[in-house]
Amino acid sequence: MSALAGQLEIRLEASSGAVAIGSSRPLTAARVFAGKPPAAVVRQLPTLFSLCGTAQAAACVSACEQALGRQPSAAVLARRQALVSAETIKEHLWRLLLDWPRMLEPWAETMPKLDAGARIDANAHARASTEAKAPSPAASTRSAIEAEATAPKTSAASAMPRVMRAFMALRRTQQAGGDPFSLHTQQAEQGAAAGLDPSALLDLVTEQALGTAPDAWLQALDSPAAVRRWAAQTRTPAAGLVRALLAGGLADCGANPVARLPAAPWQPLAEALANADADAFIAAPRWQRECAETGPLARVAAQPLIAALLAEHGNGLLTRLVALLVDLAQRARGLEGLSGNTALAAPEAGNRLPRVGFQKASETTLDAGMEDRGGAVQSSLEDAGESLRPVVDGTGARGRLPGLKNAVDRDETRGGVDAGVGIGAAEAARGLLVHRVSIADGRVERYRILAPTEWNFHPAGVVAQGLAAIARGGAKGPELERLARLYITAVDPCVNYQLSVS
């Protein structure tokens, strides 16, 4: 991590379960863009905030487009969505192949002994499953899983360089064809039209995580019992992680009552980021005066399997790991539709964000020690029949993100966003990333970024409460520290952290 990223300081007191989280993250670093032309900001910002740089680019260009009154084409939005999904797949595989296995080493005896030199064409199993005449897609998947159970795999760690090569090859091909994140319409359209082949990256999702095609996996794993059967029968590194959690009795570890950030928080976020106390809000955001969580679990919480796991295990480690896998499978399924100029597959029905209108309300929805300012989101699935411009750029597993009317002057449908002001967002790997920009006379006046880490590592947020729950569970000494690090990894900060347990 660069010095610009800062780090988190996390202290856990074993006897009382008290947790203190401090941050040296430079949350006002985006001020360096003040005075620059929007096009320069769009080019430079992803290099300054390089972790999840594709999601940063998506949120940045979307915010600038809204502030400038521009509306990108559907093809440009779809290509941005595809590239953010590819980045998220890469990040999720990093967690599954490197971070989770390292944290689960104490339970390594429950994980598969993988032959680092062996390889398998997992897609052949997926194709066989698809083409075989079977009673149902689920039955086909079970057959593929049974075949997969007897096949060797590459080691998790040795597979990660292949993931990185596949992702970087995809990015190089895109860069050679044009930049869909450009503010220049012609360049963005050229980028959207460039041919891309994500098959190498998708092959690794099947080989290292799911054991079969994403759509078949999502259909087959329809209950907690199905997850347990899949983990027992499948010889992928990801399945081994599920086995390790179950064998170690860690399914409920860290469960706590922190709520999840809702799917369409645009007006309250716009108001909070425009407020004079915006810096305080960015440092410690709250939703309806309470801490909230964002990330893969929040994105897929309504999916039937995850809803069932939440009912059975709360937001503990098993639910978090399976939510990561579901998010991975959904992103991969959406990316499968990208081939040359072919349009992307339709967004996940259960995760599609509705278009939203806004109405004033008497109760505040966001709090950072601020006065009540009102604002509530009213979702609407109806198409207003008008040309809607994006608040955000249509990225993320939740599909096409909501839009605002193509208006210049302030009105209620802009959710309190003034002319010359834009709100852009992207569902990054670790959660909702929100950018706000104000532009006047062709120059950026002010730039603010709200990152997922500030929600999840809030001093009283989901990590703080999860660590407190682990301490109250009776773990002591080295075991407590191991469990704490495992839980922090499961929620996943975007910066380095220092943990001290006393």
Side-chain angles (χ1 to χ4, degrees):
M1 298 284 181
S2 67
L4 178 64
Q7 72 173 14
L8 299 170
E9 300 285 345
I10 304 172
R11 298 188 300 277
L12 172 59
E13 187 176 285
S15 58
S16 66
V19 178
I21 299 179
S23 173
S24 63
R25 283 165 54 75
L27 301 178
T28 60
R31 291 177 180 173
V32 300
F33 298 115
K36 294 180 179 291
V41 174
V42 169
R43 289 193 304 271
Q44 295 170 11
L45 186 143
T47 63
L48 183 63
F49 300 97
S50 57
L51 185 68
C52 291
T54 306
Q56 295 280 3
C60 177
V61 70
S62 181
C64 290
E65 284 168 341
Q66 190 192 22
L68 296 170
R70 300 180 186 178
Q71 180 171 352
S73 69
V76 169
L77 295 179
R79 180 53 58 95
R80 292 175 186 172
Q81 176 179 349
L83 293 172
V84 173
S85 288
E87 179 179 73
T88 297
I89 288 170
K90 180 258 294 181
E91 291 291 320
H92 284 354
L93 288 174
W94 189 291
R95 304 287 89 70
L96 293 168
L97 300 178
L98 297 180
D99 293 347
W100 274 84
R102 185 172 67 252
M103 293 297 110
L104 278 169
E105 275 189 77
W107 298 271
E109 63 273 10
T110 66
M111 299 173 67
K113 304 300 182 183
L114 300 175
D115 177 4
R119 296 187 63 182
I120 182 172
D121 181 3
N123 277 335
H125 292 282
R127 286 193 296 270
S129 170
T130 301
E131 295 169 0
K133 293 183 178 180
S136 67
S140 297
T141 303
R142 284 192 294 272
S143 297
I145 289 174
E146 289 167 2
E148 196 77 8
T150 63
K153 284 282 189 294
T154 56
S155 71
S158 67
M160 195 60 216
R162 296 165 55 206
V163 173
M164 294 303 297
R165 286 194 296 270
F167 175 73
M168 294 309 297
L170 194 70
R171 288 293 296 166
R172 284 193 297 271
T173 302
Q174 176 63 72
Q175 290 165 359
D179 182 11
F181 299 105
S182 175
L183 277 177
H184 297 287
T185 301
Q186 185 176 2
Q187 292 181 20
E189 292 295 342
Q190 288 175 345
L196 286 184
D197 180 9
S199 60
L201 188 62
L202 296 175
D203 288 350
L204 287 159
V205 172
T206 297
E207 177 187 309
Q208 296 294 322
L210 306 181
T212 189
D215 188 62
W217 187 89
L218 288 165
Q219 290 186 57
L221 272 71
D222 57 1
S223 68
V227 170
R228 293 176 174 86
R229 287 195 301 271
W230 168 79
Q233 297 171 354
T234 305
R235 306 302 293 181
T236 65
L241 298 174
V242 175
R243 289 198 299 275
L245 286 182
L246 293 171
L250 302 176
D252 301 344
C253 182
N256 64 80
V258 170
R260 290 167 293 281
L261 192 65
W266 310 120
Q267 180 186 0
L269 286 181
E271 292 178 353
L273 293 175
N275 194 279
D277 295 324
D279 289 346
F281 173 75
I282 289 171
R286 290 178 180 264
W287 178 262
Q288 295 182 335
R289 301 176 184 259
E290 300 292 338
C291 294
E293 168 181 3
T294 185
L297 178 55
R299 279 197 290 267
V300 302
Q303 201 255 11
L305 169 61
I306 301 305
L309 286 168
L310 283 166
E312 189 171 319
H313 299 289
N315 63 357
L317 288 177
L318 180 63
T319 305
R320 292 188 179 282
L321 178 56
V322 178
L324 186 72
L325 291 168
V326 169
D327 194 48
L328 175 68
Q330 290 183 350
R331 299 276 185 143
R333 179 165 68 178
L335 202 57
E336 283 178 331
L338 183 66
S339 178
N341 295 334
T342 303
L344 281 171
E348 300 296 327
N351 290 323
R352 188 180 295 116
L353 285 179
R355 288 172 172 174
V356 295
F358 301 108
Q359 63 179 12
K360 290 183 178 179
S362 60
E363 295 183 354
T364 186
T365 53
L366 287 161
D367 174 58
M370 300 184 294
E371 297 177 358
D372 289 358
R373 297 184 179 271
V377 176
Q378 178 187 18
S379 297
S380 173
L381 292 174
E382 294 84 25
D383 190 331
E386 299 182 74
S387 175
L388 297 179
R389 59 172 291 98
V391 176
V392 289
D393 70 357
T395 60
R398 288 192 277 185
R400 183 67 54 81
L401 294 177
L404 291 178
K405 292 182 181 179
N406 195 3
V408 176
D409 297 328
R410 179 186 178 96
D411 63 26
E412 287 296 295
T413 65
R414 287 183 61 87
V417 178
D418 289 307
V421 174
I423 301 291
E427 281 288 354
R430 294 163 183 82
L432 184 65
L433 175 68
V434 182
H435 288 207
R436 181 189 187 273
V437 64
S438 59
I439 299 173
D441 299 323
R443 301 278 173 172
V444 168
E445 287 186 315
R446 184 175 292 109
Y447 207 105
R448 286 171 172 152
I449 298 176
L450 175 59
T453 294
E454 276 58 65
W455 290 101
N456 296 337
F457 288 81
H458 186 289
V462 67
V463 168
Q465 295 196 35
L467 296 181
I470 292 171
R472 290 195 300 269
K476 302 293 183 184
E479 181 189 11
L480 176 58
E481 181 170 347
R482 286 195 298 267
L483 291 174
R485 291 188 182 279
L486 176 58
Y487 190 80
I488 293 168
T489 297
V491 179
D492 192 9
C494 63
V495 294
N496 290 328
Y497 70 91
Q498 294 291 327
L499 172 68
S500 61
V501 179
S502 59

